[in-house]
Amino acid sequence: MEISKTKLDGVLLLTPKRHGDARGYFCETWNKARMAEQGLDYDFVQDNQSLSAEVGTVRGLHFQSPPHAQAKLVRCGRGALLDVAVDIRKGSPTYGQWISEELSAENGRQLLIPEGFLHGFITLMPDTEILYKCNDYYSPECDGAVRFDDPDIGVDWGSDTSGATLSTKDANAQSFADFNSPFEWTAS
Ligand SMILES: Cc1cn([C@H]2C[C@H](O)[C@@H](COP(=O)(O)OP(=O)(O)O[C@H]3O[C@H](C)C(=O)[C@H](O)[C@H]3O)O2)c(=O)[nH]c1=O
């Protein structure tokens, strides 16, 4: 597995090895022991999958606050998406900064997003499926959202999002200025 850092400390881009043959390929998309060998020892407890039918669907920017904060291992099972993480750890040198990576069924790349980050994505193809592992369970009372297009964060979604397909939750999400993050940064 190839592992590369991003400008946000702790957010990593993983590219698992694909074993190709005449039929296609085989890939271990997650291996707890192999990841632990790399110091990435997460106890994932919940797998999620969502399908977004339309290109330009945006889901995010979401987080779960402690005590049910979630680290996520994100990949694309069908289609393509631009995955985004935003640092919301108070005191972090990169607080409020974001990164984006294109994840697709074709490139097989994964984004590892620790607790303390907003997560969201925009779909780049119709019928895009996102698959992700979480290291804590869904907790509606801890679920939160910040506007995906908040100017204080300034995510470049790569396209005009004025007509983005959104959930009501996302359409009514709070501004970053009003957001009081429950996460604190600690120097590693
Ligand atoms: C997240 C979640 C949702 N649900 C139920 C709650 C709603 O009835 C329905 C849709 O939920 P929501 O609109 O929050 O789904 P997304 O907009 O895809 O939210 C997710 O999208 C961003 C990108 C994330 O990283 C989070 O995992 C999550 O917030 O699924 C569950 O039953 N379990 C869950 O873990």
Side-chain angles (χ1 to χ4, degrees):
M1 173 180 315
E2 281 176 41
I3 299 176
S4 47
K5 293 183 177 180
T6 69
K7 77 173 185 182
L8 300 183
D9 175 41
V11 179
L12 300 173
L13 183 65
L14 311 180
T15 308
K17 179 173 175 54
R18 285 183 172 179
H19 303 276
D21 63 26
R23 300 166 298 173
Y25 70 82
F26 179 91
C27 176
E28 290 185 7
T29 52
W30 174 69
N31 182 308
K32 182 172 172 50
R34 289 269 166 83
M35 285 192 67
E37 288 165 5
Q38 307 281 343
L40 307 172
D41 195 5
Y42 288 92
D43 289 320
F44 293 117
V45 296
Q46 179 177 313
D47 275 1
N48 293 339
Q49 175 177 337
S50 70
L51 169 70
S52 300
E54 293 181 15
V55 177
T57 299
V58 173
R59 295 180 187 245
L61 296 163
H62 302 160
F63 68 99
Q64 281 198 177
S65 52
H68 298 292
Q70 292 174 316
K72 296 165 187 165
L73 179 60
V74 186
R75 66 191 177 97
C76 179
R78 183 168 65 177
L81 58 93
L82 189 71
D83 211 47
V84 171
V86 184
D87 188 352
I88 54 169
R89 300 166 301 176
K90 286 176 181 169
S92 166
T94 55
Y95 181 81
Q97 293 185 32
W98 57 275
I99 59 103
S100 62
E101 290 290 350
E102 184 170 334
L103 309 181
S104 68
E106 192 270 329
N107 71 25
R109 301 197 307 179
Q110 304 179 357
L111 208 55
L112 180 63
I113 305 170
E115 299 91 334
F117 292 83
L118 300 174
H119 177 232
F121 66 90
I122 187 168
T123 58
L124 304 176
M125 291 173 68
D127 296 329
T128 284
E129 283 188 359
I130 189 170
L131 311 167
Y132 50 107
K133 307 181 88 69
C134 304
N135 70 344
D136 205 331
Y137 298 103
Y138 177 52
S139 172
E141 67 277 8
C142 293
D143 197 29
V146 172
R147 274 292 301 193
F148 75 97
D149 56 357
D150 189 282
D152 291 332
I153 302 175
V155 172
D156 178 358
W157 293 98
S159 61
D160 173 15
T161 57
S162 56
T165 301
L166 293 174
S167 66
T168 305
K169 175 177 85 173
D170 290 348
N172 300 316
Q174 66 187 307
S175 68
F176 197 51
D178 294 339
F179 173 59
N180 179 26
S181 175
F183 296 99
E184 297 284 343
W185 179 74
T186 51
S188 49

